[in-house]
Amino acid sequence: MAEPLRDRARRATGWRLRMNGETRPHYVVCGSDPLAYWVVRALLAAELDSGRARITLVVPERRRSDGPDGRDVPGLHVVRADRLDEVTFRRAGLAGADGLALLHQDDVGNMHAALCAQEVEPRLRLVVRMFNTSLANGLRQLFPDSAVLSDASMAAPAFVAAALGEVAPTHFRHGGRTLYVARRADVRAKDVVCGVADTRDAARPHVLPADEATADVVLAEATGQPPGTELAARRLVRARRRRRPVAVLVRAVRSFATRKIGIAVLVLLAVIAALGGLNARAAHVGWADALYLTLVTTLTGEDPDVTKPVAAQVMQVVLNLAGLALIPLITAVVVDGIVNARLALHTGRIQPARSGHVVVVGLGNIGTRVMAQLNDFGVEVVAIDKDPDARGASLAHRLGVPMVIGDAGREETLRSASVETCQALVVVSTDDDVNLRAALNARGLTPDLRVVLRLFDGDFAERVQKAFGIGISRSVSYLAAPSFAAALLDRAVIATIPVGRHALLVTEVQVVAGSPLDGRPLAAVARPGAVRLLAHARPGQKADWSADHRLVITAGDRLTVVARRAGLTALLRETTPPAPEPPPADPTGPPPPRTSEE
């Protein structure tokens, strides 16, 4: 069969044919949750501000969550469709597009959508969100040039490090060196490559400060020593206090019966003890004989004697009546305790007292990864989820991680997980309301508890930090979005460094001839608080990690930088020549595409 004309033109010219003579690259994003929102925002910041790309967002007809999903972001072409098939992709203009991001939380559905997209555009760059590693490996074999990413894998290390009181365990290899993020106090001065952030004010960390000496979080070269997070985990395991057997026994007794039955039994036993003491005094016997007489009289009602004094007879009758009441109460305690124990075992509420452990709330994608990584470090974990069949429930069972079934926003659920004596609380469910209630109730039980809170809204997270002193909050989508956006734009993000609610990107940028940076010194690259230069490399040469900042940049040079997203966007514009002016619109041609499709 002859090769299609369009494919032969692509192969010969190296550029894609697009509809209506459009020359700008076109990217299609499919998703309906905060990750899609942040990926779209990252693409907008990187491309649309300069008018160099078009973005189409495919969302369901109706919203599937309360959080934003990108459909209300201006500047997009929005296609509403509940099914990702060839018809939907053709409506979205996928034919001739440069990239497709499949960001739904459905691994099988994303794989099916990738196969449908391949029928519409065979040479498409695919970026697929996957949680299941087996499916991810299968998709990579089907589409070798695709990028299969997991937001859970990207964000989980940041939550683990925050729970252990350490910086995120980011490490990568580039330019012949292995670098990792650590606290300045944990590394030797000669191993420090650059300062990353000043986190002494946990509520307002200062990233990429102008004076690197003020940064307590640095990028260092690995020298064979374990990273800070692993050291913190080892210290936590060694410092874990022994469980207190007396406390465990008291906890078991308290949970055996209801409070009302327990009070009734205690009152009745007090009455029996008082009457037994009076009876012993009347009979003039010792404490051992008095105990014997009291138990026999109470439990059997035997030994009637009409010759006894009237007071002794009255006390004996009362003791017999108390014995009649005690036996049903004992039966009620046993029955109630058995029922409560069966229910508690079913729901996971019976847990031995623990200390020095980490409580993880929510066993979804993120919670499952966090639980597994903490377990790998040897840290004791207790999981909480309202769904006994949550995604991570089976893994928790295999790892032997205790799981409490219940609403994490309720105090009794937190007590069941021994939050009062835990090392940290990691709250990563998908419900912001439950997350906040769990964090506040846990702080009410233990005011100085380290709480790692998952919140989407950055402004809301800052207000929570100020109002309640919860200084560690994370947004999974915000941390992972830069890598998804970079993969879609075919830009290599070497590493992502989370600092508080900031995400710093380590990437290598090539300087193009005619760009604003062509012919300027290396000192023009760095911008305090936005961009920091790590290494410089001439074409065909190795990276120089200590290049003179007076060196003049030439076309083809490669710049390795660590930058905030806005800083990287500005740097990319300075390393590429200005976009050509678009041709004037043909008044007789078709109208431009609408910005939304209802």
Side-chain angles (χ1 to χ4, degrees), residues 27-31 36 39-40 43 55-59 99-101 103 488:
Y27 303 102
V28 180
V29 178
C30 302
V39 169
V40 166
L43 292 173
I55 299 176
T56 298
L57 177 65
V58 182
V59 296
L100 170 66
L103 306 180
L488 190 61

Side-chain angles (χ1 to χ4, degrees), residues 32-34 62-72 430-433 456-457:
S32 57
D33 63 1
R62 296 182 180 180
R63 292 184 184 271
R64 298 180 179 178
S65 63
D66 295 333
D69 58 7
R71 70 179 70 200
D72 298 326
T430 56
D431 190 332
D432 276 3
D433 177 63
F456 167 75
D457 192 313

Side-chain angles (χ1 to χ4, degrees), residues 121 304 320 328 366 504:
E121 180 53 69
N320 289 337
I366 302 299
L504 300 179

Side-chain angles (χ1 to χ4, degrees), residues 519-532:
R520 299 188 63 187
L522 285 177
V525 176
R527 295 182 179 180
V531 180
R532 175 153 293 151

Side-chain angles (χ1 to χ4, degrees), residues 59 79 92 171 243 283 321 328 436 440 446 462 496 518 595:
V59 296
V79 175
H171 62 277
R243 299 175 184 175
L321 293 175
L436 185 57
L440 296 180
T446 308
E462 292 182 2
T496 301
D518 187 7
T595 58

